[in-house]
Amino acid sequence: MSTQGLRGAAVVAGLGAWLPPRVVDNEEISRYLDTSDEWIRARTGIGERHVVDPGMSTVDLAVEAGRRALDSAGPGAIDAVLLATSTADQLCPGSAPQVASRLGLNGVAALDLNAVCSGFVYALATGGGLIASGVAGRVLVIGADVFTSLIDPQDRSTVPIFGDGAGAVVLREGTADEPGALGPFDLHSEGELAELLWVAAGGAKQRTSENRSDYFLAMQGTAVFRHACARMAESARTVLDKAGWQVCDVDRFVGHQANIRILQVAAKQLGLPPESVVANIEHTGNTSAASIPLALADAVTDGTLVTGHKVLLGAFGAGLTWGSTVLTWPDVKPG
Ligand code: ACO
């Protein structure tokens, strides 16, 4: 899917991120599960994650990140809100209209997009399409998940990995040659492998189950790991080729924060130097659709990502889904 060659390019004009205040470190998890700080750090690179307090939902996180992105972008009408999430507040309807209302954007187009951990990159492409086709001039794209709501608190293979959070960007219409212009994109899926990473029950196919674990994420970690490394590297090569960039042109690789080893292996397969890899997973865990905008916001805040850097975004998630895009980082800071 490419948004090139249509009306206008989508340009990043604002950035925001938000993490719920409660921090759960590896020691806390090790007190109730058979695991350790040493194992979790060595296998995943995660030291702690943020987790919602009871009553706090995906809409709450999305509103906080969305508001910060709107502040960062400054004044101007928003025509559409896209919410990348796989943990909407209700099974039906989608949560984007509630997010839009709470942000004072009642009446705008608003929809959820579920590509799990690839959701943010898919939503950037979709937002770019709305702009390129003239449907919208400015789009708020949010990635938000309370992914811990899908995790069995007794499952040591998934509890340490996931956290909650939200991140967002404002896209505006601009030109393909200006800093912040997104694209090209490379997006893929492989539904035959859905069972590698899914929640079996609760949806239309199996509303209820007598097996409690069917309501939680089941993950075949090693297979997911292998696919994630290979697909992210493959997609990155495709998108760099489409963009006319060499690997050595990439200053920063901002990949989905699933596991530090996945990012390192993908970077190595691509031939990217370790210092180009942006990683905040130590403090966030895997926040699913929120992970890329959260990593962008942290990297801008700590000076790892600066105006003019050439950035490769890469995502991989359940579905399976994966995808990439590129941009030159504009003069945008988190709000
Ligand atoms: N603490 C201690 N031991 C553990 C834990 C734990 N928390 N979890 C698993 N183990 C054990 C296993 O039982 C296994 O024991 P065994 O050898 O006696 O059977 C051993 O550790 C090794 O397990 P592996 O699964 O081989 O460990 P691996 O090095 O593959 O790491 C991990 C596991 C971290 C899950 C890794 O496979 C991974 O990161 N996979 C990708 C997961 C992922 O990214 N998922 C999200 C995708 S994005 C999305 O859309 C949601």
Side-chain angles (χ1 to χ4, degrees):
M1 176 172 165
S2 168
T3 57
Q4 280 191 323
L6 297 174
R7 249 167 90 139
V11 175
V12 172
L15 174 67
W18 199 75
L19 289 164
R22 187 156 79 89
V23 175
V24 175
D25 64 16
N26 294 344
E27 296 296 346
E28 185 174 338
I29 291 174
S30 306
R31 284 201 283 277
Y32 66 91
L33 286 178
D34 181 16
T35 188
S36 64
D37 177 55
E38 192 187 6
W39 191 96
I40 299 167
R41 281 184 189 273
R43 298 296 179 115
T44 69
I46 298 167
E48 61 188 27
R49 70 289 295 144
H50 291 245
V51 175
V52 292
D53 283 313
M56 193 182 282
S57 73
T58 296
V59 169
D60 297 326
L61 305 190
V63 166
E64 293 292 344
R67 184 172 292 127
R68 284 164 174 75
L70 293 172
D71 286 349
S72 161
I78 293 290
D79 306 306
V81 174
L82 298 180
L83 176 64
T85 189
S86 49
T87 55
D89 280 15
Q90 288 82 30
L91 210 51
C92 175
S95 290
Q98 296 168 57
V99 173
S101 286
R102 295 238 324 246
L103 288 170
L105 300 170
N106 228 0
V108 305
L111 84 152
D112 289 13
L113 194 152
N114 184 351
V116 201
C117 300
S118 307
F120 189 73
V121 169
Y122 266 75
L124 289 179
T126 307
L130 292 177
I131 288 172
S133 59
V135 172
R138 283 187 6 137
V139 180
L140 176 61
V141 177
I142 306 172
D145 269 306
V146 176
F147 214 80
T148 57
S149 65
L150 301 179
I151 301 303
D152 179 351
Q154 296 167 13
D155 181 0
R156 73 170 181 171
S157 71
T158 52
V159 167
I161 294 177
F162 294 97
D164 303 325
V169 296
V170 172
L171 302 181
R172 63 161 173 84
E173 186 175 5
T175 56
D177 57 354
E178 64 178 303
L182 286 169
F185 283 87
D186 179 63
L187 302 175
H188 299 280
S189 72
E190 199 166 354
E192 285 174 359
L193 299 177
E195 286 180 55
L196 290 184
L197 195 63
W198 79 355
V199 179
K205 187 176 172 73
Q206 191 184 354
R207 292 287 292 137
T208 59
S209 171
E210 285 171 8
N211 188 354
R212 172 186 171 280
S213 65
D214 285 347
Y215 289 99
F216 294 114
L217 186 82
M219 181 177 81
Q220 295 179 40
T222 309
V224 172
F225 190 100
R226 236 185 15 250
H227 279 282
C229 298
R231 298 310 199 183
M232 277 169 73
E234 187 181 289
S235 177
R237 273 189 215 101
T238 303
V239 93
L240 292 180
D241 196 41
K242 280 189 190 178
W245 291 14
Q246 305 294 316
V247 170
C248 61
D249 292 331
V250 175
D251 297 304
R252 293 292 176 262
F253 170 42
V254 185
H256 169 50
Q257 310 281 309
N259 183 322
I260 191 68
R261 293 188 296 139
I262 292 176
L263 292 171
Q264 288 165 345
V265 171
K268 195 170 175 193
Q269 285 183 9
L270 276 167
L272 285 169
E275 58 273 21
S276 67
V277 177
V278 167
N280 67 346
I281 189 170
E282 185 180 0
H283 303 291
T284 61
N286 179 344
T287 56
S288 193
S291 93
I292 288 178
L294 276 167
L296 287 170
D298 279 354
V300 174
T301 301
D302 70 18
T304 312
L305 174 59
V306 298
T307 306
H309 268 159
K310 286 185 171 293
V311 184
L312 167 66
L313 303 184
F316 178 87
L320 298 179
T321 53
W322 64 97
S324 309
T325 191
V326 294
L327 75 160
T328 299
W329 191 253
D331 185 15
V332 166
K333 296 192 170 39

